[in-house]
Amino acid sequence: MTSTNGSREPCKLTSKGQATRARILEHAAELIYTNGVHATNNEQLRRAAGVSGSQLNHYFPTKESLVLAVIAWQAERVLTFHRGERFAHFDNLDALRAWADFYVGYERAYQEGCSLGSLASEIIKTDLDVHDELASAFDQWRDIFRDGIERMQQVGRISPEADPPRLATLLLAAFQGGMLLSQVARDIAPLKDALQTAIDHVQTFATSPDAGVIAPGTGGGVHEAAERLDREGVGGGQGQLLSR
């Protein structure tokens, strides 16, 4: 995602420096998720990341610069996950279903929630000037779905009457809202119902019953990839669910 002055990685970092910065960001994301922005302080972060005060100040001289970098870091993990080959760029209904099945099938989904959504809900309560960066992250996520739906139109899988931006917003809103309700209920059913309903609505624009389905052997193994991810499991800990 596009960097800002606050989140731009320092120039000419060594491999060790890059690793240190990444470690700080990972622990900062965890602490912010667990304790909140205001309750997360430098001392906690130094202990968690195993760095000195001078190291922390070198990479992140202000709290705002740290929060901006955490947003960029977390968003990049989410976006990379969704842009991967495993969901076939979301240009068919099978890919959307495989995406939904992956999250519904993950047993700790309702406990961990969405890493980026949880981060956003915490940060927007503060007076930090980071709203544009959060909006950009979600815009890029939504655009991944929009691009896939536009490709469905281009190849004739769904009707030209479909509105890709609106459908993309629906998919992302169904995920975020369903995940939140599942966390509250401690039950995956709200997420499952929300995603299924959203994808069913996309399917109403299909040009034929099988227009959005990949023929066997031609789809890059979308279902096989989802099954493989389920077998491998997803690493525990906040921020891992959307980061694989």
Side-chain angles (χ1 to χ4, degrees), residues 104-159:
V104 170
Y106 178 53
E107 62 182 9
R108 293 192 299 275
Y110 68 82
Q111 296 172 333
E112 296 180 3
C114 168
S115 58
L116 187 58
S118 297
L119 179 65
S121 66
E122 170 58 35
I123 293 175
I124 59 176
K125 304 172 190 176
T126 72
D127 56 0
L128 297 174
D129 185 17
V130 297
H131 288 69
D132 287 348
E133 286 72 17
L134 283 171
S136 175
F138 282 100
D139 284 347
Q140 291 179 75
W141 192 353
R142 181 187 59 199
D143 288 348
I144 293 173
F145 295 119
R146 183 206 64 196
D147 292 346
I149 294 169
E150 287 179 347
R151 284 191 291 271
M152 288 191 215
Q153 284 184 319
Q154 291 166 5
V155 299
R157 287 176 178 152
I158 65 173
S159 167

Side-chain angles (χ1 to χ4, degrees), residues 225-243:
E227 290 171 1
R228 184 175 66 253
L229 288 171
D230 287 338
R231 289 196 301 270
E232 293 172 354
V234 181
Q238 189 275 333
Q240 296 303 310
L241 176 56
L242 291 180
S243 306

